[in-house]
Amino acid sequence: MNYKKITSLEIGILSTFLYKAFVLINGFNILININQSDSIISIIIGFLFGFIIVSLFLKAADTLPKLNIFEKNTVLFTKPISFIINGVLIITTIIFSSYNLYISSLFIRSALLNNVDILPISILFLCGCMYLASKGIQTLCKSSIISFLLFLIFELITIILTIPNVNSIKLLPLFTSPIPTTIYSSIIYLTISILPIFLLLMIPKESIKDNKKHNKYIRLSYIVTNIYIIFNFILVLSIINVRLASIIDYPELSILSKISVLNFFDRMEDILSFKFLLDLFITL
């Protein structure tokens, strides 16, 4: 496959979708149920330790840069071992995609299509993703840039319209969870937020245009995405509080229901929830 038309900036933007793949849809609910308000602390700790994983990813990308991850394994390991490793990677990718398709379909049904069965939603969503994938990695990267810009617009609108509902008192109390619980929650966050980035090793670094900027954009996208996640987490908990966030399926979606524009557009959440669909579509 020809990757020469892909830039490091496009890879960096594509990585932001992978960082958020599991966090924005069901990651919030998982973390809140483990560590309550101290999940904010867990995310910050996981973010800091994530730099180690990012460094490992960049080291892997710099090793035999002309080869993708499967070819690297074939060169670096004996045939039986490389076969096992590549098999594990393929199975992991299939599980990742299948699970992402499942949670994406659940989200679409909950947010927009309450009376529709999950199977036709999954089929239609999968067909759309397969069509985009058939157009090649260049089209996917271009689509990720457009989706990223649209996501920024929708997110900016969301922040502006939800700020009046913020109550920082709802974030308290903090530092109440046992240290082992906080560490466990940090590991969960680290796992669901950063491991999907290794899918990008399927693209040889040497095949990317201006690949000297590759490492910079990967690190920058990691920092920016995690700052956004931390901010979004604080925003959610300061609007609906921890107790409510722990019992609803999509806490970040629920805050959109509080949006009203001049008491006229009282169902703005149906429009603004489109930003989550952009995330899901590109990630899958």
Side-chain angles (χ1 to χ4, degrees):
M1 183 179 291
N2 181 22
Y3 297 102
K4 282 299 183 181
K5 294 183 180 180
I6 305 175
T7 66
S8 295
L9 175 60
E10 291 171 339
I11 292 296
I13 290 177
L14 187 59
S15 70
T16 64
F17 290 95
L18 293 174
Y19 290 133
K20 295 188 275 99
F22 292 132
V23 178
L24 290 186
I25 297 301
N26 62 346
F28 276 18
N29 190 268
I30 293 173
L31 294 172
I32 291 170
N33 277 283
I34 294 175
N35 212 23
Q36 301 296 305
S37 293
D38 286 341
S39 296
I40 299 172
I41 302 168
S42 299
I43 291 176
I44 295 174
I45 295 174
F47 163 53
L48 295 176
F49 277 99
F51 281 102
I52 299 175
I53 309 300
V54 171
S55 297
L56 293 176
F57 166 81
L58 295 177
K59 180 66 176 179
D62 289 334
T63 303
L64 302 174
K66 293 183 179 181
L67 306 179
N68 62 40
I69 183 62
F70 299 109
E71 295 167 338
K72 289 177 183 181
N73 291 332
T74 301
V75 172
L76 295 174
F77 303 101
T78 60
K79 190 172 182 179
I81 295 178
S82 64
F83 179 80
I84 294 174
I85 294 176
N86 287 338
V88 170
L89 289 175
I90 292 173
I91 293 173
T92 302
T93 302
I94 293 173
I95 293 174
F96 169 82
S97 300
S98 300
Y99 180 70
N100 203 34
L101 175 63
Y102 174 70
I103 63 174
S104 300
S105 301
L106 282 179
F107 173 80
I108 293 173
R109 186 177 66 172
S110 299
L112 301 171
L113 303 171
N114 292 322
N115 298 321
V116 180
D117 189 72
I118 192 172
L119 182 59
I121 295 176
S122 300
I123 293 175
L124 289 174
F125 198 65
L126 180 60
C127 288
C129 294
M130 290 178 65
Y131 175 77
L132 179 61
S134 68
K135 294 298 181 179
I137 188 66
Q138 293 90 353
T139 301
L140 177 60
C141 286
K142 300 298 181 185
S143 299
S144 69
I145 292 179
I146 297 173
S147 298
F148 181 77
L149 294 175
L150 289 174
F151 184 90
L152 286 180
I153 294 172
F154 281 110
E155 186 61 28
L156 181 60
I157 295 173
T158 300
I159 292 172
I160 293 174
L161 296 180
T162 54
I163 284 296
N165 297 292
V166 169
N167 181 1
S168 59
I169 299 298
K170 293 182 179 180
L171 295 172
L172 302 176
L174 291 172
F175 302 102
T176 59
S177 299
I179 293 178
T181 302
T182 300
I183 294 175
Y184 174 67
S185 182
S186 299
I187 294 173
I188 293 296
Y189 174 74
L190 183 63
T191 302
I192 65 178
S193 67
I194 204 170
L195 289 186
I197 192 66
F198 283 87
L199 292 172
L200 291 180
L201 289 177
M202 295 180 184
I203 304 174
K205 181 179 178 180
E206 193 68 26
S207 299
I208 301 172
K209 187 165 57 176
D210 69 343
N211 59 71
K212 291 183 179 180
K213 299 179 181 179
H214 173 268
N215 292 5
K216 180 183 74 172
Y217 281 121
I218 290 294
R219 290 193 181 97
L220 181 61
S221 65
Y222 176 70
I223 294 172
V224 171
T225 303
N226 276 273
I227 290 176
Y228 162 74
I229 290 173
I230 293 170
F231 172 80
N232 203 31
F233 201 94
I234 293 174
L235 181 66
V236 169
L237 293 187
S238 63
I239 292 177
I240 63 174
N241 73 53
V242 176
R243 184 188 62 80
L244 183 59
S246 65
I247 61 177
I248 57 180
D249 291 330
Y250 307 107
E252 65 275 32
L253 181 62
S254 68
I255 68 171
L256 300 181
S257 63
K258 297 181 177 293
I259 294 176
S260 176
V261 181
L262 300 177
N263 294 322
F264 182 71
F265 296 108
D266 291 326
R267 296 294 296 175
M268 283 291 289
E269 70 268 23
D270 291 340
I271 300 174
L272 296 179
S273 61
F274 181 69
K275 67 179 182 178
F276 295 109
L277 298 182
L278 293 173
D279 250 10
L280 297 172
F281 190 69
I282 296 298
T283 303
L284 186 61

